[in-house]
Every structure is written in C-alpha cells, then in structure tokens.
C-alpha cells in the first residue's frame, strides 16, 4: 500500500519561512510527478507546485517567486520551501504523487501564517 506522509506544517508569522517534506513509501514502481496542493477554508483545492520526472516544474500564480519545489528521487521525497509567507498562504497542504496507474494523496499538514 502506498502512503504519503507530510511533515513540517506549523504556525508561523508573516514574512517567515517554512519547509514542508513528503516521504513516499509502499509499492510504487514509477513516480511520474510529485507535488503540493493546498486547500484554504471555504475554497477548493488548488495547485501549489508540481515537479515531473523530466525535471520540469509548475507553480501556482500566487506562490511564484516565493515557493520552490525540490525532489529527491532516490529517497522518494518531495520538499516545498516556502519563503515570504503571507496570511493568505494559510491552508492545509497536501502532498501528491502521480504513478503509472494511480494518483496518491497525503493526509495533509496545516500551515497557519499569522499577521
């Protein structure tokens, strides 16, 4: 069974930085993409950042220039470096993995940015 476990979500002040981590375990043989989505209260889940196996990355418009996604393919781990955090970044952040036959989601980690 494939499992994604996020860590690093905490309460931080505006302007601060935070790094999220997601480690993948279980029977997955091919990872085609890894990334992060987030869902704020009363809003739909939206793209934060995705990295594909060919090395390309995509970012949501609201985080471009502030967030950076990186992957460690040997460790099957994806990271999200978040800088210059704003209160509007407050959300539950979900780790995402795309395999050959299925997509997988983590349980989410809460990030709260206070003024």
């Amino acid at each position: 069974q494939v499992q994604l476990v996020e860590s690093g979500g905490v309460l931080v002040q505006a302007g601060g930085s935070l790094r999220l981590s997601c480690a993948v375990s279980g029977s997955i043989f091919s990872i085609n993409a890894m990334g992060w989505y987030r869902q704020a209260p009363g809003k739909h889940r939206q793209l934060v950042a995705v990295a594909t196996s060919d090395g390309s990355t995509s970012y949501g418009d609201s985080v471009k220039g502030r967030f950076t996604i990186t992957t460690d393919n040997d460790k099957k781990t994806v990271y999200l470096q978040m800088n210059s955090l704003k209160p509007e970044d407050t959300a539950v952040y979900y780790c995402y993995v795309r395999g050959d036959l299925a997509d997988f989601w983590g349980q989410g980690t809460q990030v709260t940015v206070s003024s």
Side-chain angles (χ1 to χ4, degrees):
Q1 184 176 357
V2 176
Q3 185 175 10
L4 282 61
V5 180
E6 302 103 331
S7 64
V10 296
L11 172 65
V12 299
Q13 292 186 341
S17 297
L18 185 66
R19 189 171 83 152
L20 304 182
S21 176
C22 175
V24 180
S25 64
S27 299
I28 184 168
F29 299 100
S30 180
I31 298 176
N32 298 316
M34 303 181 72
W36 297 90
Y37 289 73
R38 69 186 184 187
Q39 187 169 16
K43 298 182 179 180
H44 295 293
R45 190 173 299 183
Q46 296 183 330
L47 170 72
V48 177
V50 173
T52 56
S53 59
D54 64 359
S56 64
T57 58
S58 298
Y59 294 90
D61 290 339
S62 63
V63 307
K64 289 179 180 178
R66 299 188 297 120
F67 291 9
T68 303
I69 185 171
T70 57
T71 60
D72 186 329
N73 294 324
D74 291 336
K75 297 181 179 179
K76 294 184 175 62
T77 302
V78 60
Y79 305 91
L80 183 69
Q81 179 66 47
M82 303 184 291
N83 298 326
S84 302
L85 284 163
K86 305 174 181 179
E88 48 263 47
D89 294 319
T90 296
V92 177
Y93 285 70
Y94 295 91
C95 182
Y96 164 82
V97 170
R98 183 171 76 236
D100 280 342
L101 302 178
D103 297 339
F104 304 94
W105 293 88
Q107 293 298 307
T109 185
Q110 177 70 48
V111 173
T112 301
V113 184
S114 62
S115 301

